[in-house]
Amino acid sequence: MRKTIGLFAAATLVLTLSACSGGAAGGGGGAHKSLDQLVVGFAQVGAESGWRTANTKDIQDSFKAANIKLQFSDAQQKQENQIKAIRSYIQQGVDYIAFSPVVQTGWDAVLNEAKAANIPVILTDRAVDSKDTSLYKTFLGSDFIAEGKKAGDWLVEQYKGSSDPVSVVQLEGTTGSAPAIDRGTGFADAIKANPNIKVVASQTGDFTRAGGKQVMEAMLKSQPKIDVVYAHNDDMGLGAIEAIEAAGKVPGKDIKIITVDGVKDGMTALANGKINFIVECSPLLGKQLIDTITKLNNGETVPQRIVTEETTFTQDQAKEALPNRKY
Ligand code: AHR
């Protein structure tokens, strides 16, 4: 009898220990925890644009509303800072890690570390180029190729029926980032059947207003003729407007401007005629992120890709949309 009790006690101890170690090794996705017991580490890109500021606010507000503890870090547009932040989340044993990768490549090592620690990773806003898709649960965010294509389609439509040469300068986002690569690809694809529409210069402005201004100033000096600016985000377009005005030209008239995002400052410039067309990219990803975490926490599966729904804005549509714009 004493022997049976001893065996039972030993078995109970083994079971208890294995249950505890499951929790300590990164929480195993936090399954069976209530939402207010979860800790999520979020490694943000930086604060480079109005879009990013709105995205950060939306994520922080959404976590507060859902009563989930958020550890937040700002990588200041540097991949090494993001990797450091993710490693520190792994060490802390958070339940989930979410991040918006500053560039597409170079994530496999740290994502494998998260996987080994049994911490599910959610990509928000930007993708990674890892072949092993088991390294993350889902990627939620915009279709950047579609955004670039919408920008190009609008431009083609503007010059429909004309074979006059159209010189476009492109202000690229952060080199190596998914939105810079994909918005460039989508745009090139949309204009390719129109050999009169040419990208005559293309350079990065790092998604910042200062960067857009600086690159535009140089392009205005080096390019004999600029008909159109295609900026990969509103902030660079707004910087370009400053440079165009300083050069004595009228943005929106002498030089047409197409941007991506649709933040308040961009939409205001569109409504005022300084920008001609904006392709929307929504920064409001907080709710989708919370829904995804909630599902994973309940043991449900989530789709590998969740695409944000978005629209486009002409000048008239911007005037109409502005009063109710949230960001
Ligand atoms: O990844 C989304 C992009 O990053 C936004 O279009 C841009 O404004 C931001 O910096």
Side-chain angles (χ1 to χ4, degrees):
M1 175 70 171
R2 200 179 289 155
K3 203 172 162 193
T4 316
I5 293 173
L7 276 175
F8 179 73
T12 311
L13 183 67
V14 169
L15 281 176
T16 312
L17 279 179
S18 57
C20 285
S21 71
H32 311 306
K33 281 185 178 178
S34 63
L35 291 184
D36 62 356
Q37 289 175 317
L38 293 178
V39 180
V40 177
F42 188 95
Q44 180 61 289
V45 170
E48 73 282 6
S49 62
W51 188 99
R52 190 64 57 194
T53 308
N55 177 247
T56 292
K57 185 180 179 316
D58 185 59
I59 283 166
Q60 290 175 333
D61 289 352
S62 304
F63 274 82
K64 217 175 268 167
N67 204 16
I68 299 177
K69 189 157 184 243
L70 175 68
Q71 305 273 16
F72 185 88
S73 59
D74 172 341
Q76 297 176 337
Q77 295 242 68
K78 291 199 175 76
Q79 183 175 32
E80 64 264 30
N81 291 348
Q82 266 192 321
I83 291 176
K84 253 188 233 157
I86 294 169
R87 289 212 165 108
S88 115
Y89 297 146
I90 295 172
Q91 271 201 329
Q92 289 170 50
V94 298
D95 298 291
Y96 295 89
I97 292 172
F99 80 113
S100 173
V102 60
V103 289
Q104 255 186 344
T105 56
W107 298 102
D108 284 26
V110 75
L111 290 181
N112 269 302
E113 289 166 35
K115 190 178 176 183
N118 199 24
I119 302 176
V121 171
I122 299 160
L123 302 178
T124 72
D125 164 37
R126 297 183 182 179
V128 296
D129 73 347
S130 303
K131 299 271 170 299
D132 181 359
T133 51
S134 77
L135 293 178
Y136 54 91
K137 291 287 173 197
T138 184
F139 162 38
L140 59 96
S142 310
D143 180 341
F144 296 136
I145 294 188
E147 289 174 352
K149 192 161 179 327
K150 287 178 201 168
D153 285 345
W154 180 84
L155 184 61
V156 167
E157 189 60 31
Q158 298 311 297
Y159 292 95
K160 207 167 152 189
S162 157
S163 54
D164 291 349
V166 180
S167 300
V168 183
V169 297
Q170 178 169 238
L171 304 181
E172 299 167 23
T174 303
T175 306
S177 69
I181 297 167
D182 292 352
R183 286 173 188 164
T185 304
F187 185 80
D189 196 40
I191 62 168
K192 72 171 185 248
N194 301 266
N196 60 317
I197 303 178
K198 271 203 185 79
V199 177
V200 294
S202 187
Q203 214 180 305
T204 181
D206 215 9
F207 279 130
T208 67
R209 208 174 281 209
K213 185 177 178 196
Q214 207 184 330
V215 172
M216 193 65 211
E217 280 166 354
M219 285 175 169
L220 282 161
K221 285 184 192 136
S222 64
Q223 293 302 319
K225 175 178 169 279
I226 299 175
D227 301 303
V228 178
V229 172
Y230 168 44
H232 287 182
N233 79 344
D234 286 351
D235 277 82
M236 292 190 295
L238 292 163
I241 289 173
E242 288 177 32
I244 292 167
E245 285 176 336
K249 297 191 184 232
V250 183
K253 292 211 161 62
D254 297 336
I255 300 179
K256 287 190 172 44
I257 302 180
I258 308 167
T259 66
V260 184
D261 275 355
V263 295
K264 258 207 183 114
D265 287 356
M267 293 286 276
T268 306
L270 180 62
N272 292 340
K274 295 187 179 194
I275 292 179
N276 302 79
F277 188 64
I278 293 184
V279 177
E280 186 184 43
C281 176
S282 175
L284 306 180
L285 301 175
K287 191 187 168 302
Q288 279 174 313
L289 179 55
I290 298 291
D291 287 352
T292 303
I293 290 170
T294 308
K295 280 191 184 143
L296 291 171
N297 193 51
N298 290 339
E300 293 169 41
T301 49
V302 294
Q304 265 259 317
R305 179 77 172 100
I306 303 168
V307 184
T308 315
E309 272 178 40
E310 287 158 344
T311 183
T312 58
F313 296 98
T314 60
Q315 293 173 338
D316 285 341
Q317 288 165 332
K319 280 180 204 151
E320 220 178 288
L322 252 178
N324 301 317
R325 204 75 186 148
K326 287 203 187 78
Y327 52 89

